């Protein structure tokens, strides 16, 4: 026997002791479940690159939400899929009062008044260019985009959204949206800013779900360079100063250091988006029998919490809830 003062293994000797010393926890109430909706009735279309995730029509999403809320999930993030014919340069469909997305928000809120509905502010689902902003001569123009986003934000607030999620990465949009909302009396609508949103390969499956891939070029003039972290602090400072209620980092897994930095530097809640590609990787490996999908999922979600995220947007929400509810 060797004499050791410190034997860290003592704190791991039984499941009960491991639980006693566990530093980070994960709860169903930490989850925001991103969901996809399309026009029509009786639709439930599986996304090829996201096994287990579907695009619903309003009638089927209402059924699905019964299951989702029964699992204890209390927040969703709703994304619309629009037919190509509805798209134009100015994303004008996004703020038409009778557009199906806005009507769906209202209908869901009516049926599930306690459910938190987060919505997305960006032009891509409605844009014939497939970009988050307005394209002029091949450029994504900042200030004209923000005016369109303002109309979109107001329309979503009126429809019944609880949290708006500007995912567009235009400069100055948080302050502009806050102002537009407040002027119209929507002082209680929250803004969760996509503060540090990186130009990432991990959004591929999401663009399949929305059929919203850019028609030309990429998103590198507005989304961040994956090589940068100081810039994330700048983005977060601006969003904080402009009035964001929560700051988000996206994607999550390759950016755990960014989550940690924001959590250490800002006294508002930090969220992380465990994006479509991160979901697809684990699903693909699990379906091949190459790793234990449930364990990988729980490990990944815990790591995002450990890094400092308070809440997690994740396509795993339902599956993780089943495990956490056991
Ligand atoms: C678009 C938007 C994207 C995601 C959320 N909002 C994709 C993009 O920026 O191209 C990605 C979500 C995911 O991959 O799960 N504004």
């Amino acid at each position: 026997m060797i004499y050791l003062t410190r034997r860290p293994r003592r704190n791991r000797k039984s499941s009960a002791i491991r639980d006693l010393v566990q530093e980070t926890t994960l709860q169903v109430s930490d989850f925001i479940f991103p969901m996809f909706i399309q026009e029509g009735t009786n639709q439930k279309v599986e996304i090829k690159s996201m096994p287990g995730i579907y695009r619903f029509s309003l009638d089927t999403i209402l059924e699905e939400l019964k299951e989702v809320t029964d699992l204890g999930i209390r927040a969703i993030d709703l994304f619309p899929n629009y037919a190509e014919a509805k798209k134009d340069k100015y994303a004008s469909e996004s703020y038409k009062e009778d557009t199906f997305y806005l009507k769906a928000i209202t209908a869901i809120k009516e049926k599930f008044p306690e459910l938190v509905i987060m919505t997305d502010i960006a032009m891509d689902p409605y844009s014939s260019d497939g970009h988050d902003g307005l394209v002029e001569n091949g450029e994504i123009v900042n200030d004209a985009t923000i005016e369109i986003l303002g109309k979109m934000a107001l329309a979503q607030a009126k429809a019944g959204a609880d949290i708006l999620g500007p995912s567009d990465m235009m400069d100055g949009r948080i302050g502009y949206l806050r102002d537009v909302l407040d002027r119209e009396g929507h002082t209680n609508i929250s803004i969760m800013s996509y503060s540090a949103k990186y130009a990432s390969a991990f959004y591929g499956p999401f663009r399949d779900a929305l059929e919203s891939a850019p028609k030309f070029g990429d998103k590198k003039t507005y989304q961040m360079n994956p090589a940068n972290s100081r810039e994330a602090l700048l983005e977060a400072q601006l969003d904080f100063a402009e009035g964001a209620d929560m700051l988000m980092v996206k994607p999550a897994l390759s950016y755990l250091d960014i989550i940690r930095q924001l959590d250490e530097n800002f006294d508002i809640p930090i969220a992380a988006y465990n994006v479509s590609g991160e979901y697809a990787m684990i699903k693909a490996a699990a379906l091949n029998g190459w790793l234990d999908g449930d364990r990988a999922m729980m490990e990944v979600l815990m790591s995002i919490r450990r890094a400092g995220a308070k809440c997690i947007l994740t396509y795993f929400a339902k599956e993780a809830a089943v495990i956490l509810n056991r």
Side-chain angles (χ1 to χ4, degrees), residues 112-324:
F112 299 92
E114 303 294 320
L115 181 69
V116 172
I117 304 180
M118 174 166 164
T119 54
D120 199 63
I121 308 280
M123 287 172 62
D124 52 329
Y126 324 90
S127 156
S128 47
D129 292 307
H131 274 285
D132 292 14
L134 177 63
V135 181
E136 272 175 9
N137 306 317
E139 246 182 67
I140 288 74
V141 294
N142 197 85
D143 300 13
T145 295
I146 291 187
E147 289 179 28
I148 296 171
L149 299 181
K151 294 182 197 171
M152 199 184 294
L154 254 190
Q156 293 177 5
K158 276 187 200 153
D162 300 285
I163 304 177
L164 305 185
S167 68
D168 53 288
M169 289 301 279
M170 296 299 119
D171 294 335
R173 88 271 206 216
I174 301 302
Y176 183 86
L177 295 180
R178 188 70 269 165
D179 190 56
V180 164
L181 291 167
D182 288 355
R183 274 171 202 277
E184 295 290 323
H186 296 291
T187 52
N188 272 336
I189 305 285
S190 315
I191 298 179
M192 179 191 287
S193 175
Y194 286 64
S195 292
K197 178 173 180 181
Y198 286 88
S200 171
F202 291 101
Y203 307 149
F206 175 95
R207 294 177 191 170
D208 292 343
L210 259 54
E211 300 171 309
S212 65
K215 301 283 162 54
F216 70 89
D218 52 40
K219 298 191 174 184
K220 289 182 185 168
T221 68
Y222 44 108
Q223 299 180 349
M224 283 177 51
N225 180 348
N228 295 353
S229 69
R230 288 161 61 86
E231 196 181 343
L233 284 176
L234 171 62
E235 286 285 2
Q237 269 158 23
L238 290 168
D239 291 351
F240 181 84
E242 290 173 31
D245 301 286
M246 300 176 234
L247 305 175
M248 188 214 288
V249 175
K250 174 183 179 187
L253 295 182
S254 298
Y255 303 89
L256 295 174
D257 56 325
I258 308 297
I259 297 174
R260 165 53 61 91
Q261 279 196 60
L262 294 205
D263 189 48
E264 281 174 357
N265 284 285
F266 296 93
D267 292 330
I268 55 176
I270 306 302
Y273 201 139
N274 177 211
V275 298
S276 57
E278 297 172 332
Y279 174 84
M281 280 195 297
I282 290 181
K283 277 290 164 198
L287 287 169
N288 269 297
W290 294 341
L291 50 72
D292 179 331
D294 280 355
R295 286 191 57 204
M297 163 180 79
M298 296 310 275
E299 186 173 331
V300 153
L301 294 171
M302 192 61 87
S303 76
I304 297 169
R305 289 270 300 124
R306 192 197 62 236
K310 177 58 197 78
C311 44
I312 308 173
L313 293 101
T314 180
Y315 302 97
F316 287 121
K318 278 178 70 183
E319 284 174 80
V322 169
I323 291 177
L324 291 170

